[in-house]
Amino acid sequence: MTVAREKGYAPIGAYGLIGNGAGSALVCQDGRIDWLAAPRIDTLPFLAAIIDASDGGYFAAGPAGGDYQVTRRYQDGTMVLQTTFETADGRLVITDAFTHGFEGRLPWTELARRIEAPDGPVRLAWELRPGTRLDQARPFVHHRGETPLILSGALLAAVIHQGVDGNEVDGEAVGGQAVIEPGRPALLALVLAEDKPLRLPRPDDVLRRLEHACQEWRAWSDRIGYRGPHRQQIMRSALTIKALSDRQTGALAAAPTTSLPEAVGKARNFDYRFAWVRDSSFMIDALTRLGLSEQVDASLAWLLQAVQRTAPAVHVLYTLDGRPAPGDQQRLDLVDGYLGSAPVIIGNKAASQAQHGSYGDLCGAVARYVDGGGHLDTETGLVLAKLADQLCDEWPRPDAGLWELGDYQRYTSSLINSWTALDRVVRLARKDQVPFIHLERWEHARQAIHDYADSHCWSEAKKSYTFYAGTERLDAAVLLAARTGFLSGDDPRLWATIDAIRSELTAEGPLVYRYSGAGEEENAFAACTFWLIEALCYAGRTDEAGELLDGALRYSNDLDLWSEEIQPTTGHLRGNFPIGISHLSVITAITAYAAALEHGATPPPD
């Protein structure tokens, strides 16, 4: 049973992620790697057939002809992916991973594909067809001795092989066939380096580093202390977040891809290979709950260093090396896009937007760090004080909101997060972590924000906080008011808002749209479902939360991976994949549910 490709494109949910914080790849169920970016997630991709079927490039490996059935799994506690093809001749098992160096990070990137036939023999077919790197390069494939080499712009790559009989090179691709015998595993490895020389490793060394990668992943995942319900989903989401985190800086890429459409055939395509302050804050929250203190410290340090470059302004997103992301974007009109969903773009215009919520994301992350036993240095304390003063001036102005819309309004979610920023700075000042420069001003502005939201963003008709001041439309992002403490769990307004959002924004089953009218142009937003579950937990409505959670977790793919959106009518995953915000929301929803089970339900408000 092969993957059904349409015009060369496989379903987004057919992919699995492999990565190691220094590169990322998407491996399809049929054995094709259709996306590969190295030596960093935000590097121009070496393979990109997932959004450019004709010229994007791929690295295929699988049974040579005949029908087969596919099962796959990650090896426990790792990002090492194992795909098993059941053929008439026996099983063909391909294990895919980025390797880890024995002395730290490898100077080159190494993707290993170990191929076994435990009850074969089984014939293997493979092909590497490098792409044009989103129409930015023209690759050249040639031999140097027995080794196929690929030159693609400033990137040099080589195929290291063992136990694979013969290969052919035609200037544009390299490939061949081989019979894999039981007890004689073969190897196909791709090694890459950019702007520097490339070492050609021995096959045995690659295989040893593959085993070492398994050990390194298990050593990391063994530190996850969570033992509550849905532990498998917690583990997989945490590992995915780790794979999307830059190994050198701790920065979290929102997703490894660009331009996978939120709705097929429409133009809502975005480049998510950047680090959002919002997502970084959610990451610190989620991983703090799991006890992963080293990753939390690394990511917080990156976040603070990035913001200090632009303070007192907090930018919406930064590059993975911590610099302000440019606000322009490049349209690649010669690249087809997933199933013709143009445009394919590089860059993200949200970088130039005003989003007051970013202040709350940053200050909330710092406060969680301090609550977990951390201490702030003098410079960080001063920066937070300056940010609080800046926000006191900015919060009354309209902004683009959490959803980064072109329509500037006084969004309720921005007000909630602005309140959160000042609340956390006040708390930190009272803990002697932030200097008491303008404490009274911060307290006054905090109250003013809450009063404004209560007066202008509450609808008596809907019995809910609204999308923005002066509208009756609703927004699922206001559910985060429960997490921040803007509303307490027993506040009647929280309960009423939850009910209104469930009534108006439910798409299908547990799926939720972002805001009123979103269903006309996009699909359900996965994170919103988990924010709803989390809000129900804070309200003590544990039975409802558990029922929704059980239903929601069925929408991931077979590897427990999530995209940004879900098509309600089909359950198909849509948008960039896999995406950090969905996985972070899975973690916070499940841990909130576990805590609610432990502490019991809160009675409904009068």
Side-chain angles (χ1 to χ4, degrees):
M1 185 170 58
T2 59
V3 173
R5 288 182 177 263
E6 181 181 351
K7 300 178 181 179
Y9 294 98
I12 292 172
Y15 288 94
L17 172 72
I18 57 173
N20 64 351
S24 63
L26 295 179
V27 185
C28 190
Q29 285 174 329
D30 59 10
R32 260 182 49 169
I33 296 175
D34 285 337
W35 180 271
L36 190 157
R40 266 189 4 188
I41 288 174
D42 57 356
T43 306
L44 204 61
F46 178 65
L47 304 175
I50 195 171
I51 55 172
D52 186 9
S54 58
D55 296 317
Y58 56 82
F59 187 7
D67 294 332
Y68 56 81
Q69 293 183 334
V70 180
T71 58
R72 57 182 182 166
R73 68 180 186 91
Y74 286 106
Q75 293 188 10
D76 290 345
T78 77
M79 290 300 294
V80 178
L81 181 61
Q82 188 175 82
T83 304
T84 300
F85 300 89
E86 296 276 357
T87 77
D89 297 322
R91 290 174 295 157
L92 186 71
V93 181
I94 300 180
T95 302
D96 289 311
F98 285 95
T99 67
H100 290 190
F102 290 108
E103 301 176 12
R105 181 176 177 176
L106 281 173
W108 61 91
T109 301
E110 192 172 85
L111 189 157
R113 314 196 76 180
R114 185 177 64 205
I115 304 158
E116 302 167 278
D119 45 15
V122 179
R123 180 169 290 277
L124 166 81
W126 69 277
E127 180 184 27
L128 172 65
R129 183 170 292 275
T132 62
R133 306 188 74 184
L134 302 183
D135 198 42
Q136 306 299 303
R138 292 295 178 266
F140 175 63
V141 183
H142 58 290
H143 260 129
R144 184 164 296 171
E146 296 297 320
T147 303
L149 293 179
I150 304 96
L151 181 63
S152 182
L155 190 146
L156 181 62
V159 178
I160 307 300
H161 55 89
Q162 177 175 272
V164 177
D165 298 329
N167 54 78
E168 298 177 0
V169 172
D170 64 4
E172 297 183 354
V174 56
Q177 296 193 7
V179 175
I180 310 301
E181 302 279 356
R184 298 179 62 187
L187 171 70
L188 286 169
L190 186 62
V191 294
L192 310 97
E194 190 165 33
D195 289 322
K196 62 181 179 181
L198 176 65
R199 175 175 292 277
L200 303 182
R202 296 181 303 175
D204 288 346
D205 289 338
V206 175
L207 290 170
R208 279 193 288 269
R209 281 192 289 269
L210 175 58
E211 291 301 321
H212 180 60
C214 293
Q215 297 168 7
E216 291 281 297
W217 278 115
R218 291 191 180 109
W220 185 84
S221 60
D222 284 347
R223 296 198 293 272
I224 297 175
Y226 180 81
R227 294 296 184 270
H230 304 294
R231 187 171 186 271
Q232 167 60 29
Q233 286 81 5
I234 286 276
M235 294 290 288
R236 184 48 48 202
S237 286
L239 284 158
T240 302
I241 293 302
K242 179 65 173 175
L244 293 177
S245 304
D246 189 274
R247 197 170 181 180
Q248 286 186 311
T249 67
L252 172 66
T257 54
T258 178
S259 305
L260 286 176
E262 293 179 358
V264 174
K266 297 186 178 180
R268 292 185 58 81
N269 302 337
F270 303 99
D271 187 353
Y272 282 174
R273 299 168 301 157
F274 298 94
W276 267 253
V277 173
R278 175 198 61 220
D279 293 14
S280 300
S281 170
F282 288 174
M283 175 188 186
I284 291 165
D285 183 8
L287 298 192
T288 296
R289 300 185 190 201
L290 303 183
L292 295 168
S293 57
E294 292 183 19
Q295 183 68 46
V296 166
D297 275 49
S299 297
L300 181 67
W302 172 86
L303 180 59
L304 291 171
Q305 289 168 6
V307 169
Q308 284 172 7
R309 288 190 173 102
T310 60
V314 179
H315 285 213
V316 178
L317 60 144
Y318 296 82
T319 63
L320 297 186
D321 59 5
R323 302 189 181 279
D328 56 351
Q329 63 183 32
Q330 178 184 2
R331 289 175 56 109
L332 306 178
D333 294 328
L334 297 180
V335 180
D336 290 341
Y338 180 83
L339 281 171
S341 301
V344 169
I345 58 175
I346 295 175
N348 196 299
K349 290 192 294 187
S352 61
Q353 290 181 349
Q355 288 187 33
H356 302 156
S358 297
Y359 289 85
D361 294 327
L362 172 67
C363 296
V366 175
R368 282 188 290 274
Y369 173 76
V370 171
D371 289 343
H375 295 271
L376 304 184
D377 60 285
T378 301
E379 180 63 25
T380 296
L382 288 169
V383 168
L384 291 179
K386 292 177 182 178
L387 296 182
D389 278 338
Q390 178 81 0
L391 184 57
C392 287
D393 292 329
E394 286 193 10
W395 77 261
R397 302 169 185 161
D399 74 341
L402 182 149
W403 300 126
E404 301 173 354
L405 304 176
D407 183 20
Y408 273 46
Q409 298 283 353
R410 291 180 175 177
Y411 290 101
T412 309
S413 63
S414 295
L415 293 167
I416 291 170
N417 246 13
S418 296
W419 177 92
T420 301
L422 295 173
D423 180 75
R424 300 314 191 259
V425 172
V426 167
R427 292 190 195 182
L428 290 168
R430 297 194 181 281
K431 292 180 178 180
D432 295 324
Q433 299 283 341
V434 170
F436 284 71
I437 297 176
H438 297 129
L439 182 62
E440 291 185 6
R441 184 192 189 197
W442 305 335
E443 291 177 323
H444 177 78
R446 177 181 62 177
Q447 187 60 50
I449 293 170
H450 212 306
D451 291 344
Y452 183 90
D454 292 343
S455 299
H456 296 85
C457 302
W458 173 263
S459 168
E460 277 298 324
K462 293 289 184 71
K463 297 296 181 185
S464 174
Y465 283 97
T466 61
F467 196 178
Y468 49 82
T471 186
E472 294 292 302
R473 299 172 67 196
L474 301 185
D475 174 16
V478 303
L479 293 167
L480 294 171
R483 179 195 297 186
T484 63
F486 183 87
L487 296 174
S488 62
D490 60 355
D491 192 317
R493 293 170 299 179
L494 174 61
W495 284 60
T497 297
I498 290 172
D499 292 337
I501 286 174
R502 291 190 72 176
S503 175
E504 185 164 318
L505 299 187
T506 293
E508 179 77 25
L511 301 180
V512 177
Y513 291 118
R514 292 193 294 170
Y515 47 79
S516 301
E520 299 173 5
E521 58 185 14
E522 62 181 49
N523 295 297
F525 199 82
C528 290
T529 292
F530 295 106
W531 295 347
L532 172 59
I533 293 166
E534 188 178 359
L536 286 166
C537 292
Y538 282 111
R541 296 163 64 171
T542 312
D543 290 344
E544 294 174 68
E547 183 179 352
L548 274 180
L549 183 59
D550 288 341
L553 291 175
R554 298 190 183 104
Y555 282 89
S556 69
N557 76 352
D558 58 312
L559 296 171
D560 291 319
L561 296 179
W562 294 87
S563 64
E564 183 177 26
E565 296 193 355
I566 301 166
Q567 188 171 351
T569 54
T570 64
H572 291 164
L573 301 181
R574 297 292 184 221
N576 284 303
F577 178 84
I579 194 164
I581 193 171
S582 296
H583 286 275
L584 292 165
S585 301
V586 167
I587 294 171
T588 53
I590 292 175
T591 52
Y593 176 64
L597 288 176
E598 182 178 352
H599 298 140
T602 301
D606 295 332

